[in-house]
């Protein structure tokens, strides 16, 4: 006889983390496109996609860490993992501010109301954030594959 749990559908937490990261990257990619400038209402969609992506990552990552490395080492491992977004935010914050200021100084940022508008103000930053999310997804997929080989149910 089969046990009742063997017929249940089970999904890995990674099946939720990867799509939420994909939505995060779509939000950044949409922000890098000319659409938000032409249709300002799209900023709502961009904000929702980026918020959903970050929410998924910061909700699921601690759970995955506790499953993979155990709760007794959770604080150390979560601290190490949490430093990556902090470092990325610092790096991409510098890139954003430098590009924004450069566009303002050159006068090609479409200045109006004292605000820089246009791809030169934030486009490179948004593309860089998109690529960073894709790199994170590739690293997560590689880690997931290794966890599967070791028999860790994530």
């Amino acid at each position: 006889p089969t046990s009742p749990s063997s017929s249940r559908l089970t999904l890995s937490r990674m099946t939720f983390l990867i799509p939420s990261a994909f939505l995060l990257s779509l939000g950044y990619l949409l922000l890098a496109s000319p659409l938000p400038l032409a249709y300002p209402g799209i900023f709502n969609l961009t904000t929702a996609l980026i918020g959903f992506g970050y929410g998924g990552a910061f909700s699921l990552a601690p759970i995955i860490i506790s499953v993979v490395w155990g709760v007794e080492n959770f604080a150390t491992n979560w601290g190490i993992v949490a430093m990556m977004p902090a470092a990325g935010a610092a790096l991409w914050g510098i890139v954003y501010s430098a590009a924004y200021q450069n566009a303002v100084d050159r006068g090609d940022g479409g200045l109006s109301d004292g605000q820089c508008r246009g791809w030169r103000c934030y486009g490179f930053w948004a593309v860089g954030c998109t690529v960073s999310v894709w790199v994170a997804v590739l690293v997560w997929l590689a880690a997931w594959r290794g966890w599967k080989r070791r028999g860790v149910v994530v």
Side-chain angles (χ1 to χ4, degrees):
T2 61
S3 67
S5 63
S6 66
S7 63
R8 288 185 356 192
L9 174 67
T10 58
L11 294 174
S12 170
R13 291 163 187 94
M14 297 298 282
T15 60
F16 295 103
L17 181 62
I18 302 296
S20 70
F22 178 71
L23 292 177
L24 174 63
S25 74
L26 281 181
Y28 281 127
L29 198 59
L30 182 61
L31 191 58
S33 77
L35 290 174
L37 293 171
Y39 306 100
I42 283 187
F43 276 114
N44 295 334
L45 177 61
T46 301
T47 302
L49 289 170
I50 290 173
F52 185 82
Y54 271 114
F58 279 96
S59 297
L60 292 166
I63 297 168
I64 292 169
I65 289 168
S66 67
V67 168
V68 173
W69 290 290
V71 293
E72 61 277 352
N73 297 320
F74 174 76
T76 301
N77 292 319
W78 173 243
I80 292 167
V81 169
M83 290 308 293
M84 287 300 138
L91 171 75
W92 289 114
I94 291 168
V95 169
Y96 175 84
S97 62
Y100 189 95
Q101 190 62 49
N102 189 31
V104 168
D105 291 345
R106 292 172 139 200
D108 58 0
L111 284 175
S112 65
D113 301 341
Q115 293 184 357
C116 186
R117 292 188 174 91
W119 199 89
R120 291 182 188 255
C121 302
Y122 61 86
F124 182 72
W125 165 81
V127 170
C129 290
T130 303
V131 171
S132 294
V133 172
W134 292 342
V135 168
V137 167
L138 291 175
V139 170
W140 286 337
L141 289 171
W144 189 13
R145 184 176 174 187
W147 294 330
K148 278 182 171 180
R149 270 189 269 147
R150 289 190 345 210
V152 178
V153 179
V154 185

